[in-house]
């Protein structure tokens, strides 16, 4: 398995910051959110953000670190959008909530984790797959699992938050075509939250890929 990139202390610090942000940002929902995260605490601490090492953060603690990076980048994007005169037609709490829960489904279900460490040497050495999907969980799209988890734990969310979470992956998710390839006026998105979140997510993904590529020397970038 590839380098963790994170020490146990860093994993613990990221986890503590994550839980603190839940309490700080969502006062009306923190009871339900804490119930959800308490029940999934073991997985939240160690979950990766993806399965293949060349995707992003496919290592212990990678999920929380990635979510925190998207959260931070989303706030940077918000400042940029304001500076450029873009219309901000969502609340900052909606932005923070969607950023912190855009990949929630990757934790799996309350009774079964989504990711399991890969054990087959061939997959690890020839394909760079560090984790595999848990066969005990139903085959579901990650953002569908995200909405199921929020509903399961009675966490309320706005329409803006739901669409933001669903569309953070942009056109990388085929199911998002319905929302992002509408050619009529009626089909246009009513606010820009999904676009801003996607920019933050793809920036975080690229940061994490570049870090992996630089530290492992398994990818050659173009010369400057």
């Amino acid at each position: 398995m590839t380098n963790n990139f994170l020490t146990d202390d860093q994993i613990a610090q990221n986890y503590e910051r994550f839980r603190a942000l839940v309490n700080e940002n969502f006062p009306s929902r923190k009871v339900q959110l804490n119930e959800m995260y308490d029940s999934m605490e073991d997985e939240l601490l160690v979950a990766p953000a993806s399965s293949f090492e060349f995707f992003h953060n496919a290592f212990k603690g990678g999920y929380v670190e990635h979510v925190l990076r998207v959260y931070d980048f989303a706030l940077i994007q918000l400042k940029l959008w304001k500076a450029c005169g873009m219309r901000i037609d969502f609340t900052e709490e909606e932005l923070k909530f969607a950023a912190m829960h855009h990949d929630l489904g990757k934790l799996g279900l309350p009774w079964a984790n989504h990711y399991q460490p890969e054990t087959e040497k061939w997959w690890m050495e020839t394909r760079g797959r560090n984790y595999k999907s848990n066969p005990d969980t139903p085959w579901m799209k990650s953002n569908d699992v995200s909405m199921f988890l929020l509903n399961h734990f009675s966490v309320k969310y706005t329409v803006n938050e739901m669409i933001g979470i669903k569309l953070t992956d942009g056109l990388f998710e085929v199911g998002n075509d319905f929302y992002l390839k509408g050619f009529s006026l009626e089909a246009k998105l009513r606010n820009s939250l999904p676009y801003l979140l996607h920019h933050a997510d793809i920036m975080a993904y690229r940061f994490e890929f570049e870090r992996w590529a630089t530290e492992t020397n398994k990818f050659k970038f173009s010369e400057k």
Side-chain angles (χ1 to χ4, degrees), residues 163-178:
I163 296 177
I165 290 170
K166 183 173 180 61
L167 302 186
T168 300
D169 284 337
L171 292 174
F172 288 103
E173 170 53 62
V174 175
N176 291 343
D177 286 5
F178 175 84

PDB file of all heavy atoms in Angstrom, residues 163-178:
ATOM      1  N   ILE A 163     -28.971  19.507  -3.957  1.00  0.00           N
ATOM      2  CA  ILE A 163     -28.471  19.577  -5.327  1.00  0.00           C
ATOM      3  C   ILE A 163     -26.965  19.820  -5.334  1.00  0.00           C
ATOM      4  O   ILE A 163     -26.230  19.271  -6.165  1.00  0.00           O
ATOM      5  CB  ILE A 163     -29.215  20.666  -6.126  1.00  0.00           C
ATOM      6  CG1 ILE A 163     -30.699  20.286  -6.249  1.00  0.00           C
ATOM      7  CG2 ILE A 163     -28.605  20.842  -7.513  1.00  0.00           C
ATOM      8  CD1 ILE A 163     -31.553  21.316  -6.948  1.00  0.00           C
ATOM      9  N   GLY A 164     -26.475  20.612  -4.372  1.00  0.00           N
ATOM     10  CA  GLY A 164     -25.033  20.841  -4.279  1.00  0.00           C
ATOM     11  C   GLY A 164     -24.277  19.559  -4.016  1.00  0.00           C
ATOM     12  O   GLY A 164     -23.253  19.273  -4.651  1.00  0.00           O
ATOM     13  N   ILE A 165     -24.769  18.750  -3.071  1.00  0.00           N
ATOM     14  CA  ILE A 165     -24.128  17.464  -2.766  1.00  0.00           C
ATOM     15  C   ILE A 165     -24.186  16.550  -3.981  1.00  0.00           C
ATOM     16  O   ILE A 165     -23.192  15.912  -4.345  1.00  0.00           O
ATOM     17  CB  ILE A 165     -24.811  16.806  -1.551  1.00  0.00           C
ATOM     18  CG1 ILE A 165     -24.494  17.591  -0.268  1.00  0.00           C
ATOM     19  CG2 ILE A 165     -24.370  15.347  -1.398  1.00  0.00           C
ATOM     20  CD1 ILE A 165     -25.305  17.159   0.936  1.00  0.00           C
ATOM     21  N   LYS A 166     -25.328  16.500  -4.607  1.00  0.00           N
ATOM     22  CA  LYS A 166     -25.517  15.588  -5.743  1.00  0.00           C
ATOM     23  C   LYS A 166     -24.610  15.940  -6.920  1.00  0.00           C
ATOM     24  O   LYS A 166     -24.103  15.055  -7.608  1.00  0.00           O
ATOM     25  CB  LYS A 166     -26.972  15.617  -6.191  1.00  0.00           C
ATOM     26  CG  LYS A 166     -27.292  14.651  -7.326  1.00  0.00           C
ATOM     27  CD  LYS A 166     -28.769  14.591  -7.609  1.00  0.00           C
ATOM     28  CE  LYS A 166     -29.068  13.628  -8.753  1.00  0.00           C
ATOM     29  NZ  LYS A 166     -28.647  12.246  -8.472  1.00  0.00           N
ATOM     30  N   LEU A 167     -24.385  17.235  -7.138  1.00  0.00           N
ATOM     31  CA  LEU A 167     -23.683  17.661  -8.346  1.00  0.00           C
ATOM     32  C   LEU A 167     -22.222  18.036  -8.132  1.00  0.00           C
ATOM     33  O   LEU A 167     -21.578  18.522  -9.053  1.00  0.00           O
ATOM     34  CB  LEU A 167     -24.413  18.860  -8.976  1.00  0.00           C
ATOM     35  CG  LEU A 167     -25.877  18.647  -9.362  1.00  0.00           C
ATOM     36  CD1 LEU A 167     -26.409  19.861 -10.102  1.00  0.00           C
ATOM     37  CD2 LEU A 167     -26.040  17.395 -10.220  1.00  0.00           C
ATOM     38  N   THR A 168     -21.682  17.813  -6.944  1.00  0.00           N
ATOM     39  CA  THR A 168     -20.282  18.190  -6.692  1.00  0.00           C
ATOM     40  C   THR A 168     -19.326  17.498  -7.655  1.00  0.00           C
ATOM     41  O   THR A 168     -18.299  18.069  -8.041  1.00  0.00           O
ATOM     42  CB  THR A 168     -19.890  17.882  -5.236  1.00  0.00           C
ATOM     43  OG1 THR A 168     -20.728  18.626  -4.359  1.00  0.00           O
ATOM     44  CG2 THR A 168     -18.447  18.274  -4.963  1.00  0.00           C
ATOM     45  N   ASP A 169     -19.634  16.268  -8.059  1.00  0.00           N
ATOM     46  CA  ASP A 169     -18.760  15.551  -9.002  1.00  0.00           C
ATOM     47  C   ASP A 169     -18.908  16.053 -10.431  1.00  0.00           C
ATOM     48  O   ASP A 169     -18.190  15.588 -11.330  1.00  0.00           O
ATOM     49  CB  ASP A 169     -19.062  14.049  -8.966  1.00  0.00           C
ATOM     50  CG  ASP A 169     -18.488  13.377  -7.737  1.00  0.00           C
ATOM     51  OD1 ASP A 169     -17.528  13.908  -7.158  1.00  0.00           O
ATOM     52  OD2 ASP A 169     -19.001  12.309  -7.346  1.00  0.00           O
ATOM     53  N   GLY A 170     -19.813  16.981 -10.670  1.00  0.00           N
ATOM     54  CA  GLY A 170     -19.975  17.526 -12.013  1.00  0.00           C
ATOM     55  C   GLY A 170     -20.318  16.464 -13.026  1.00  0.00           C
ATOM     56  O   GLY A 170     -21.031  15.503 -12.744  1.00  0.00           O
ATOM     57  N   LEU A 171     -19.764  16.604 -14.215  1.00  0.00           N
ATOM     58  CA  LEU A 171     -20.065  15.665 -15.298  1.00  0.00           C
ATOM     59  C   LEU A 171     -19.252  14.384 -15.226  1.00  0.00           C
ATOM     60  O   LEU A 171     -19.365  13.522 -16.098  1.00  0.00           O
ATOM     61  CB  LEU A 171     -19.863  16.348 -16.654  1.00  0.00           C
ATOM     62  CG  LEU A 171     -20.893  17.457 -16.958  1.00  0.00           C
ATOM     63  CD1 LEU A 171     -20.535  18.188 -18.242  1.00  0.00           C
ATOM     64  CD2 LEU A 171     -22.299  16.881 -17.055  1.00  0.00           C
ATOM     65  N   PHE A 172     -18.432  14.234 -14.176  1.00  0.00           N
ATOM     66  CA  PHE A 172     -17.782  12.945 -13.956  1.00  0.00           C
ATOM     67  C   PHE A 172     -18.816  11.887 -13.577  1.00  0.00           C
ATOM     68  O   PHE A 172     -18.569  10.699 -13.741  1.00  0.00           O
ATOM     69  CB  PHE A 172     -16.729  13.054 -12.839  1.00  0.00           C
ATOM     70  CG  PHE A 172     -15.498  13.812 -13.247  1.00  0.00           C
ATOM     71  CD1 PHE A 172     -15.295  15.108 -12.830  1.00  0.00           C
ATOM     72  CD2 PHE A 172     -14.550  13.221 -14.064  1.00  0.00           C
ATOM     73  CE1 PHE A 172     -14.157  15.817 -13.207  1.00  0.00           C
ATOM     74  CE2 PHE A 172     -13.410  13.904 -14.454  1.00  0.00           C
ATOM     75  CZ  PHE A 172     -13.214  15.213 -14.035  1.00  0.00           C
ATOM     76  N   GLU A 173     -19.956  12.313 -13.073  1.00  0.00           N
ATOM     77  CA  GLU A 173     -21.052  11.413 -12.728  1.00  0.00           C
ATOM     78  C   GLU A 173     -22.127  11.514 -13.812  1.00  0.00           C
ATOM     79  O   GLU A 173     -22.738  12.566 -14.004  1.00  0.00           O
ATOM     80  CB  GLU A 173     -21.639  11.798 -11.363  1.00  0.00           C
ATOM     81  CG  GLU A 173     -22.921  11.085 -10.996  1.00  0.00           C
ATOM     82  CD  GLU A 173     -22.806   9.579 -11.098  1.00  0.00           C
ATOM     83  OE1 GLU A 173     -21.974   9.001 -10.364  1.00  0.00           O
ATOM     84  OE2 GLU A 173     -23.535   8.979 -11.913  1.00  0.00           O
ATOM     85  N   VAL A 174     -22.323  10.420 -14.550  1.00  0.00           N
ATOM     86  CA  VAL A 174     -23.253  10.422 -15.676  1.00  0.00           C
ATOM     87  C   VAL A 174     -24.662  10.825 -15.241  1.00  0.00           C
ATOM     88  O   VAL A 174     -25.382  11.513 -15.973  1.00  0.00           O
ATOM     89  CB  VAL A 174     -23.288   9.035 -16.351  1.00  0.00           C
ATOM     90  CG1 VAL A 174     -24.335   8.994 -17.454  1.00  0.00           C
ATOM     91  CG2 VAL A 174     -21.910   8.688 -16.912  1.00  0.00           C
ATOM     92  N   GLY A 175     -25.054  10.435 -14.034  1.00  0.00           N
ATOM     93  CA  GLY A 175     -26.381  10.767 -13.559  1.00  0.00           C
ATOM     94  C   GLY A 175     -26.630  12.259 -13.412  1.00  0.00           C
ATOM     95  O   GLY A 175     -27.789  12.693 -13.296  1.00  0.00           O
ATOM     96  N   ASN A 176     -25.560  13.055 -13.458  1.00  0.00           N
ATOM     97  CA  ASN A 176     -25.715  14.498 -13.320  1.00  0.00           C
ATOM     98  C   ASN A 176     -26.037  15.194 -14.636  1.00  0.00           C
ATOM     99  O   ASN A 176     -26.297  16.400 -14.665  1.00  0.00           O
ATOM    100  CB  ASN A 176     -24.441  15.116 -12.728  1.00  0.00           C
ATOM    101  CG  ASN A 176     -24.224  14.721 -11.281  1.00  0.00           C
ATOM    102  OD1 ASN A 176     -25.134  14.256 -10.607  1.00  0.00           O
ATOM    103  ND2 ASN A 176     -23.011  14.914 -10.790  1.00  0.00           N
ATOM    104  N   ASP A 177     -26.029  14.439 -15.737  1.00  0.00           N
ATOM    105  CA  ASP A 177     -26.351  15.028 -17.030  1.00  0.00           C
ATOM    106  C   ASP A 177     -27.708  15.724 -17.007  1.00  0.00           C
ATOM    107  O   ASP A 177     -27.890  16.780 -17.623  1.00  0.00           O
ATOM    108  CB  ASP A 177     -26.358  13.950 -18.119  1.00  0.00           C
ATOM    109  CG  ASP A 177     -24.962  13.489 -18.507  1.00  0.00           C
ATOM    110  OD1 ASP A 177     -23.995  13.941 -17.872  1.00  0.00           O
ATOM    111  OD2 ASP A 177     -24.840  12.667 -19.431  1.00  0.00           O
ATOM    112  N   PHE A 178     -28.656  15.116 -16.310  1.00  0.00           N
ATOM    113  CA  PHE A 178     -30.012  15.666 -16.258  1.00  0.00           C
ATOM    114  C   PHE A 178     -29.997  17.106 -15.761  1.00  0.00           C
ATOM    115  O   PHE A 178     -30.747  17.956 -16.248  1.00  0.00           O
ATOM    116  CB  PHE A 178     -30.877  14.799 -15.336  1.00  0.00           C
ATOM    117  CG  PHE A 178     -32.262  15.332 -15.102  1.00  0.00           C
ATOM    118  CD1 PHE A 178     -33.293  15.085 -16.004  1.00  0.00           C
ATOM    119  CD2 PHE A 178     -32.536  16.098 -13.971  1.00  0.00           C
ATOM    120  CE1 PHE A 178     -34.565  15.591 -15.783  1.00  0.00           C
ATOM    121  CE2 PHE A 178     -33.809  16.603 -13.745  1.00  0.00           C
ATOM    122  CZ  PHE A 178     -34.822  16.348 -14.649  1.00  0.00           C
TER     123      PHE A 178
END
